[in-house]
Amino acid sequence: MSSYKDKKVISIGTVHELTGLSERKIRYYEERGLLFPERTKRGTRKYSFSDVELLMKIADKREEGVQTKEIKEEVRNENKKQMRNDMLRGQINAHFNMRK
Amino acid sequence: MSSYKDKKVISIGTVHELTGLSERKIRYYEERGLLFPERTKRGTRKYSFSDVELLMKIADKREEGVQTKEIKEEVRNENKKQMRNDMLRGQINAHFNMRK
DNA sequence: CGTGTAAGGAATTCTGACACG
DNA sequence: CGTGTAAGGAATTCTGACACG
């Protein structure tokens, strides 16, 4: 269901190219808790395609003048919804003993 | 049909971590024409998840003792098959005027 | 609050070459 | 042929800070 899209493998320079956002902005949104890239052993940030998509949404919100704090809440709510769906799906699958 | 899987965004260090192959090997297989990463403006190589999968297949073949030249042919043949399928699908879709 | 920038260091990547075989 | 390694340079990324507002 996820795999490639959620695998954190993209470095910040490439994320910059993909989104058009400055590295400063990208790091700042992380600092504000809007997204959570992984770190390699040497400490460089790695992003997923999902992160890239999220950053583009964030950019849209920012253009509308929405503050990072509010965006953070929206993101959190979307994740909650998503998790509810995932759990529901999990229960359904368990109930019918469905596979893959 | 492709999108994320074929997007070239992964740098060689990360490919090394994902595949376990040395950077030397990864560059060498490119030199032999087994795969074709893209280059950023500054010249660093960027790989896709498809490239990563291909590299793991290559590693298997190499362990079996298959030479790069032969692997290159096998890869080429698989791509041909794939293209035939894609074209066939394209014609079918065109015939029925299907979308997406 | 959100973002730009200069600063210095550490880690990454690149190429061409020598080595062994 | 396939792969390791040392070499030097160029580009990347990181953090903490100052700036403006």
Side-chain angles (χ1 to χ4, degrees), chain A residues 3-5 7-11 14 17-18 40-41 46 49-50 53, chain B residues 3-5 7-11 14 17-18 40-41 46 49-50 53:
Chain A
S3 72
Y4 295 131
K5 192 171 176 183
K7 196 117 191 178
K8 311 247 179 184
V9 296
I10 313 176
S11 55
T14 305
E17 286 177 17
L18 257 29
T40 64
K41 35 216 85 154
K46 290 299 173 188
F49 283 112
S50 294
E53 288 188 1
Chain B
S3 73
Y4 295 131
K5 193 171 174 183
K7 197 115 189 179
K8 310 247 178 181
V9 296
I10 313 175
S11 56
T14 305
E17 286 177 16
L18 257 30
T40 65
K41 36 216 88 153
K46 292 298 175 189
F49 284 111
S50 293
E53 289 187 0

Side-chain angles (χ1 to χ4, degrees), chain A residues 1-4 89 93-94 96-100:
Chain A
M1 209 81 211
S2 49
S3 72
Y4 295 131
R89 196 185 311 283
N93 286 352
F96 290 105
N97 195 25
M98 293 161 66
R99 298 192 188 76
K100 186 56 178 157

Side-chain angles (χ1 to χ4, degrees), chain B residues 86-97:
Chain B
D86 291 349
M87 288 189 68
L88 185 59
R89 193 185 314 284
Q91 291 189 340
I92 291 168
N93 286 353
H95 186 65
F96 291 105
N97 194 27

